[in-house]
Amino acid sequence: MSHFAYRDGMLHAEDVPLPQIAAAHGTPCFVYSRAALLSRFEEFRQALAGRDTLLCYAVKANSNLAILNLFARAGAGFDIVSGGELARVIAAGGDPARVVFSGVGKTKDEMHQALVAGIFCFNVESSAELERLDAIAGQAGKRASIALRVNPDVDAKTHPYISTGLRSNKFGVAYAEALDLYRRARVLPNVDIAGIACHIGSQLLDPAPAAEAAEKILALADRLAADGIVLRHLDLGGGIGIRYRDETPLPVAGYLAPVLEKLAGRKEKILFEPGRALVGNAGVLLTRIEHLKHGEEKNFAIVDAAMNDLMRPALYDAWHDILPVRQAAGATAEYEVVGPVCESGDFLGHARALAVAEGDLLSVMSAGAYGMAMSSNYNTRPRAAEVMVDGNQIHLVRERERIEQLFAGERVLP
Ligand code: LLP
């Protein structure tokens, strides 16, 4: 069931008509459905029921505190990539003991911060990082739990910018080097080998590459065991795709089945790090048409949201459905849906058939993941407000930025 649907020709988020949100909080505005977020989480929980698992929500997909808090209360762990994300998790009531820390460039300060917080595991991505972590843990009088993020060299068959499991990527430790690095980790005094991790890419629809990666990770885990290195957990990353246009993603259980099949009978705890699959379809970007412009070749619907609010179309040529909030009976025309930013790449959708007028509201769908989280202040545009709907309730979960905030930290020379 979609939590964003038309009722009597008006698009709703759960029980709230979207114009009510625009009236209360303005546009552009990200709107999330609490029920959609929780039902996706529940889908994962059920797919993993009966196994020793930890579901670590990838905070980078959407780091709003209200969303983190919702998942924390539902029992989630978190996958973070910075000290900033760790601070958010803690501020939102998340349990640091359920946090895995990914990323190729962890600083000494971030390592220290995570050690003091007592996170579950560092996903280490290089030998340099391993040595640094051992040193920082020693100074802090701590032992760092680690997994090596191993690059299984499988082709995730997704957009090259979001594919991460190939040998040519900057991510992870090469498969062939992993054994040696685990042997090194074993003799480091301040490091405790806890597991192994991998993540092959994002927006994956076919589970075969994930199953292939799992198989390679298991083979490595067994090879390590033969060496006396016994892992307590296997972290299989995130990457599960969603429907943006006409994709037909499997239900979570269906996607995970071939992966879980490979894991039958294993003793290790299993971790997953989904981001997009939990939040992507649980949010929309609500925007208002400022002007209609009928050019010589094309028609433009110039809206008040732009590439700084939702970068995915400009950055990946990603498709997001764009729906009129009020269904109109009139004739449609084909529009380039664009923002006010001074870049030709500032578009939200090409050639969309819409029956619209100036002042109408549009809803850019599937904007819950990598929307607000990747937004910027380009063109000195305040970032959008964020709202979470719960039934017929509207909760403002992030105020619209004010212009003074944008340059409050800047100074002119005396
Ligand atoms: N774990 C690791 C180590 C990751 O690098 C990522 C995403 C995830 C988990 C979560 O992946 P997900 O389940 O959300 O696919 N900005 C791009 C996506 C970048 C993904 C980066 N890593 C987009 O808008 O499509």
Side-chain angles (χ1 to χ4, degrees), residues 220-239:
L220 195 51
D222 292 342
R223 177 69 193 79
L224 290 168
D227 241 45
I229 299 174
V230 179
L231 305 179
R232 301 192 294 272
H233 77 253
L234 311 171
D235 178 346
L236 297 171

Side-chain angles (χ1 to χ4, degrees), residues 21 25 29-32 385-389 394-397:
I21 296 172
H25 299 295
C29 179
F30 285 93
V31 180
Y32 309 120
E386 292 176 288
V387 154
M388 194 181 296
V389 167
I394 303 171
H395 299 277
L396 182 65
V397 295

Side-chain angles (χ1 to χ4, degrees), residues 58 60-61 79 102 149 162 199 201-203 237-240 273-277 312 316 370 374:
K60 67 170 82 73
D79 165 46
S102 307
R149 173 168 172 188
I162 50 178
H199 170 79
S202 204
Q203 184 55 13
I240 302 172
E273 305 171 351
R276 186 190 327 261
R312 304 193 69 261
Y316 314 115
Y370 307 108
M374 289 172 75

